[in-house]
Amino acid sequence: MPPPGTLSLIIVAFPARSRALGAFSAGAGAGVSIGYILGGVLTAELSWRWVMFINVPFEIAIVVLAPRFVAEPARHPGRIDVVGALLGTGGMGALTYAFIRVGDTGWGDSRALATFAAAAILIAAFLGWQARGAHPIMPLRLFVDRNRAVGLANMFLLAAALAGTIYFLSQLLQVGLGMSPLRAGLAVLPLAFTQIASSRAAPRLLARTVRRPSRSPEPC
C-alpha cells in the first residue's frame, strides 16, 4: 500500500482527484503485474535476494524526476513526534511478534501472552499520547469525521486482505501446486488485471453515484 505522503501529494497536485487516484491505482496495479513476473524471473534465474536490489534503479529515477513534475507543498511548522513513533512502533512490533510466536508455540506460551500484554500497554500508551500531544503522529481528530473514518478503515482492511492474499496465494501456487516462481507470477496476473480495471472504472462510478454537495453562496 502507498504511503500517506504519496496520496497527499496527488490530492494537492491534481484538481481532478478521482481521476488522479484512479490513474495512480491503475499504475500500482500495473506495477504489481510487472512485479509478479519480474520477481519470478529473478527468483528462478538468480536469487530471491535480487528482488531487494531491483528497486534501487526505480527509486533513483523517482528522486531525480519527482522535482520536475511534483511541486513542493507549503511547509508547516512542527516537530517530530518521537515518543509517539517509539510507542506505536514498539506496540505494533510486539503485537506482530506475539502472533508469530503463537503460531509456533500455541496460545499456552507464557512469553507470547506476556508480549500480547506488552503490546496492549504500548498501544494504549500510544493512543493516550496522541490524544494530548502537541504534534501527534496520528491525530485522533481524523477519526471524528464519519466519512474519513470509514475511508481509513476501508484502507486498513484492504491492505490487510491484499497482503494476506498475495502471501498465501504464492504459497499455494508454489508449495501446494508445485509451480515455479515464474509460473506462479503469471498465474496471479488476473488478480492484478482486476485491480487495474476496477481502479479505472471507479472514478466513473463515483461520478454517477455520489452526489456532490451543493456550494453555498459566498457571503457578500
Side-chain angles (χ1 to χ4, degrees):
M1 297 306 291
T6 303
L7 299 179
S8 300
L9 289 175
I10 292 175
I11 292 175
V12 173
F14 298 94
R17 298 178 180 178
S18 298
R19 294 183 60 184
L21 292 175
F24 174 79
S25 300
V32 171
S33 304
I34 298 173
Y36 282 135
I37 300 175
L38 187 58
V41 172
L42 292 176
T43 304
E45 300 299 332
L46 298 175
S47 170
W48 64 266
R49 296 174 178 84
W50 279 91
V51 301
M52 306 296 178
F53 297 109
I54 195 62
N55 296 322
V56 176
F58 296 100
E59 293 171 355
I60 294 176
I62 292 173
V63 172
V64 174
L65 297 176
R68 300 183 180 182
F69 299 97
V70 180
E72 184 176 357
R75 295 181 178 269
H76 300 279
R79 292 184 301 175
I80 299 176
D81 185 12
V82 178
V83 176
L86 292 176
L87 290 174
T89 303
M92 296 306 298
L95 187 63
T96 303
Y97 172 78
F99 275 115
I100 293 175
R101 187 168 180 85
V102 162
D104 294 333
T105 61
W107 288 98
D109 184 69
S110 58
R111 181 178 297 181
L113 297 178
T115 309
F116 272 120
I121 294 173
L122 289 172
I123 293 175
F126 170 76
L127 294 175
W129 178 261
Q130 298 306 290
R132 66 174 186 272
H135 302 279
I137 193 173
M138 187 187 71
L140 299 183
R141 65 177 181 274
L142 296 176
F143 301 95
V144 175
D145 182 75
R146 178 177 177 273
N147 293 332
R148 184 184 291 114
V150 172
L152 293 174
N154 183 45
M155 292 296 294
F156 172 78
L157 294 175
L158 175 63
L162 185 59
T165 299
I166 293 175
Y167 174 76
F168 287 110
L169 187 58
S170 63
Q171 294 293 314
L172 172 64
L173 295 176
Q174 297 183 58
V175 179
L177 301 181
M179 291 186 178
S180 65
L182 178 57
R183 289 187 61 191
L186 293 173
V188 184
L189 282 181
L191 178 63
F193 290 153
T194 303
Q195 180 181 353
I196 296 175
S198 60
S199 62
R200 297 301 296 173
R204 299 183 179 89
L205 294 176
L206 288 175
R208 296 179 180 179
T209 58
V210 178
R211 183 174 59 183
R212 296 180 181 272
S214 58
R215 293 184 178 180
S216 57
E218 296 182 0
C220 301

